[in-house]
């Protein structure tokens, strides 16, 4: 029997993953895998167990939300583990799973982990931390980690939208300098994202034509602070129409970038908090992850 490390966040989404555990383990066994199951109990568990034990297994599978997947990827990259990964998305939003075109039902996703070939995808290094699909700041960025888990479990994706709307009165423009390989941008912004995905927080969408998960490049999206109602309407129109040529939006692709802020800035990495950042270097790690997906 081949060996499989199965890392499960039992609190993700509506906690439904627990009901499927016997069926998933039985499925893995049918494909010749003996599973070792590890249930996470607190933040950081997924990264720790992956780094400590991951190299002892033939495959690592993660069941949880984007935050749990972030922890497993962080453990893999920190420890330099060369093992195919599988992802069974069962969180509240599952942004990255949408970009990967993973099945939305748990058992179909589990079977996909077994049936699909592993493909290479990029990851990101944010200072000394890692992220799988997005590092963001500003409007809506706090929503994913400030919304209580109990609310996420009850309302699902709606919880993110409601919490984001509630956060609008507190939005303040952020004066930033962003340096890419080709350009320097300096302005007041209300939102920014360094991403490798088509869905941001389940609220904002990027055109799939502009996103390649394994090209060694991030998509940089910056939204300028509107000075009046006309500019605010222009922001909404441009984002709704995915019009990246708007004067209110900066959009480009880059391999590396440096972000500088005169005051400590709060970020979110795949939905996990990264607070009090003033200067940070972000690098795309091309083909860093081997992931079983369509």
């Amino acid at each position: 029997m081949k060996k499989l490390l199965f890392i499960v966040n039992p609190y993700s989404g509506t906690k439904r993953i627990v009901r499927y555990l016997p069926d998933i383990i039985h499925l893995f066994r049918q494909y010749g895998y003996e599973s070792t199951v590890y249930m996470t109990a607190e933040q950081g568990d997924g990264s720790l167990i992956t780094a400590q034990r991951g190299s002892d297994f033939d495959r690592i599978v993660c069941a949880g939300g984007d935050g749990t997947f972030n922890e497993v990827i962080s453990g893999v990259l920190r420890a330099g583990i060369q093992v195919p990964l599988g992802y069974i998305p069962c969180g509240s939003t599952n942004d990255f799973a949408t970009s990967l075109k993973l099945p939305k039902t748990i058992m179909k996703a589990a079977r996909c982990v077994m049936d699909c070939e592993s493909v290479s995808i990029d990851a990101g290094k944010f200072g000394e931390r890692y992220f799988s699909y997005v590092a963001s700041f500003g409007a809506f960025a706090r929503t994913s980690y400030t919304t209580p888990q109990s609310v996420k479990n009850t309302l699902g994706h709606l919880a993110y939208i409601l919490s984001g709307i509630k956060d609008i009165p507190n939005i303040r423009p952020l004066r930033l300098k962003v340096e890419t390989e080709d350009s320097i941008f300096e302005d007041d912004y209300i939102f920014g994202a360094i991403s490798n995905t088509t869905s941001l927080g389940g609220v904002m969408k990027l055109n799939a034509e502009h996103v390649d998960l394994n090209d060694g490049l991030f998509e940089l999206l910056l939204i300028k602070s509107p000075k009046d109602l006309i500019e605010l309407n222009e922001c909404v129109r441009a984002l709704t129409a995915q019009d990246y040529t708007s004067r209110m939006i900066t959009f480009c692709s880059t391999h590396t970038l440096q972000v500088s802020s005169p005051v400590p800035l709060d970020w979110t990495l795949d939905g996990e908090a990264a607070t009090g950042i003033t200067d940070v270097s972000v690098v795309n790690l091309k083909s860093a992850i081997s992931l079983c997906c369509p």
Side-chain angles (χ1 to χ4, degrees):
M1 298 287 285
K2 292 173 286 186
K3 296 196 298 182
L4 182 148
L5 177 60
F6 190 21
I7 298 176
V8 179
N9 181 348
Y11 301 103
S12 284
T14 54
K15 305 181 182 180
R16 57 201 172 102
I17 184 62
V18 177
R19 302 196 300 270
Y20 291 91
L21 280 181
D23 292 333
I24 294 173
I25 294 169
H26 178 66
L27 174 69
F28 291 166
R29 188 169 184 83
Q30 288 179 320
Y31 280 83
Y33 285 94
E34 181 180 55
S35 301
T36 297
V37 181
Y38 186 92
M39 296 274 198
T40 61
E42 58 186 35
Q43 188 174 5
D45 278 358
S47 179
L48 184 63
I49 193 64
T50 301
Q52 290 179 342
R53 299 286 312 282
S55 58
D56 298 332
F57 293 84
D58 300 295
R59 185 167 297 195
I60 301 171
V61 179
C62 159
D66 292 330
T68 308
F69 187 56
N70 170 274
E71 290 191 7
V72 172
I73 280 186
S74 295
V76 165
L77 294 176
R78 283 200 182 94
I81 297 170
Q82 302 293 321
V83 174
L85 301 180
Y87 180 28
I88 301 175
C90 46
S92 302
T93 299
N94 303 316
D95 268 333
F96 199 42
T98 300
S99 292
L100 295 168
K101 297 181 172 59
L102 294 178
K104 297 185 182 301
T105 62
I106 287 178
M107 290 309 299
K108 285 184 179 179
R111 190 171 293 277
C112 179
V113 168
M114 295 287 104
D115 286 337
C116 292
E117 297 289 333
S118 61
V119 299
S120 296
I121 62 171
D122 300 338
K125 188 172 185 183
F126 181 93
E128 296 304 314
R129 293 180 60 176
Y130 297 94
F131 62 96
S132 60
Y133 73 96
V134 66
S136 61
F137 66 84
F140 304 110
R142 295 172 61 254
T143 300
S144 58
Y145 64 85
T146 57
T147 305
Q149 186 64 50
S150 59
V151 176
K152 293 179 187 178
N153 290 348
T154 303
L155 298 179
H157 173 62
L158 180 61
Y160 286 87
I161 297 176
L162 294 177
S163 294
I165 293 172
K166 185 178 66 177
D167 202 38
I168 288 176
N170 300 319
I171 294 174
R172 297 290 182 270
L174 304 163
R175 188 72 185 182
L176 297 179
K177 180 179 181 181
V178 181
E179 301 176 67
T180 71
E181 297 154 299
D182 304 315
S183 306
I184 298 177
F185 307 104
E186 191 165 9
D187 213 318
D188 292 331
Y189 301 102
I190 59 169
F191 177 81
I194 304 160
S195 68
N196 192 37
T197 181
T198 57
S199 179
L200 301 174
V203 177
M204 220 169 288
K205 302 289 184 181
L206 296 182
N207 192 321
E209 294 180 2
H210 296 279
V211 180
D212 185 332
L213 302 185
N214 192 40
D215 61 356
L217 299 172
F218 293 123
E219 280 62 57
L220 171 65
L221 174 71
L222 299 170
I223 302 177
K224 294 181 181 179
S225 176
K227 297 180 176 60
D228 51 41
L229 191 58
I230 294 176
E231 289 190 348
L232 176 61
N233 288 334
E234 171 61 16
C235 285
V236 174
R237 184 208 63 79
L239 292 171
T240 303
Q242 297 180 346
D243 176 13
Y244 310 121
T245 63
S246 166
R247 63 192 175 97
M248 299 302 297
I249 292 178
T250 295
F251 185 82
C252 66
S253 297
T254 183
H255 173 66
T256 61
L257 62 157
Q258 177 79 28
V259 182
S260 302
S261 169
V263 297
L265 182 63
D266 292 341
W267 291 73
T268 173
L269 309 181
D270 298 339
E272 302 299 311
T275 59
I277 309 295
T278 52
D279 298 276
V280 66
S281 295
V282 187
V283 181
N284 183 291
L285 305 176
K286 188 178 187 314
S287 304
I289 300 297
S290 178
L291 186 68
C292 302
C293 65

